Amino acid sequence: MFKHILVPVDGSATSFKAVDKAVDLAKAFDGKVTVIYVIDPYPFTGVGTDFAYGQATYLSAASAEANDSIRAARERIEAAGVSLESTVVENHTPWRGIIETANAIEADLIVMGSHGRRGLEKMVLGSVAQRVLQHADQPVLVVRAPE
C-alpha cells in the first residue's frame, strides 16, 4: 500500500516524531522512506546587492541546519533497518518543495509534523502542513507536536 513515504523534516521534535511514524509504516508495508529538508535559497530577493554577504551567511547556516536534521533522521531510520533516501530541496516555499518532491519521487504517502500553531503565530508563520494538505495528490498523515 505505502511503498514510498516522504517525510519532510525541520529539525524539530515534531518532525522526528513524524520520522518515527513513517518508519513504523514503512516496516509494516515493506516500504522505503525519503527524508527531505526544504530551504529557501534566496530569502533576500529584492532587498538589494548590499545583502550579498548576508545571503552567503544564510545559505551556509541553512545548509548546515538542513544537513544536521537529515543526518539525525537518517540515523533513526537506519537504526530501524528501513531503506531510505535523503536530500536537501531548494524552494521559495516549504510546502511547494514538499509537494514537488512527492510528485517527482512518486511518493505514496507524505508523513509530516504539525507544530499546532494558533492565532497570530499561525497567521504570521502560516501552516506548512495545512498547505500540503490542500495541494497534495497523495494521502497526508499529519503528526501532532509532542505534549
Side-chain angles (χ1 to χ4, degrees), residues 5-26 33-36 73 76-77 109-115 129 140-146:
I5 302 168
L6 176 67
V7 184
V9 295
D10 63 5
S12 68
T14 304
S15 70
F16 291 123
K17 189 174 176 186
V19 167
D20 294 341
K21 183 59 72 176
V23 164
D24 291 344
L25 290 166
V33 174
T34 295
V35 177
I36 65 168
R76 291 171 97 107
I77 297 166
L109 175 68
I110 301 169
V111 178
M112 63 185 300
S114 174
H115 297 283
V140 179
L141 174 61
V142 178
V143 178
R144 297 301 303 233

Side-chain angles (χ1 to χ4, degrees), residues 72-141:
R74 286 186 68 89
E75 288 171 2
R76 291 171 97 107
I77 297 166
E78 287 171 347
V82 172
S83 175
L84 78 130
E85 296 176 11
S86 62
T87 189
V88 175
V89 174
E90 293 184 355
N91 200 297
H92 291 293
T93 54
W95 69 267
R96 278 197 178 106
I98 294 165
I99 297 288
E100 290 171 6
T101 302
N103 292 335
I105 68 169
E106 298 181 351
D108 302 312
L109 175 68
I110 301 169
V111 178
M112 63 185 300
S114 174
H115 297 283
R117 294 183 177 105
R118 300 196 190 315
L120 183 60
E121 185 179 28
K122 182 177 180 179
M123 194 168 74
V124 172
L125 297 174
S127 172
V128 174
Q130 183 178 10
R131 291 290 179 106
V132 170
L133 282 165
Q134 289 172 336
H135 297 281
D137 294 326
Q138 303 80 357
V140 179
L141 174 61

Side-chain angles (χ1 to χ4, degrees), residues 61-77:
S63 295
E65 183 178 325
N67 290 327
D68 288 347
S69 295
I70 285 180
R71 186 178 315 108
R74 286 186 68 89
E75 288 171 2
R76 291 171 97 107
I77 297 166

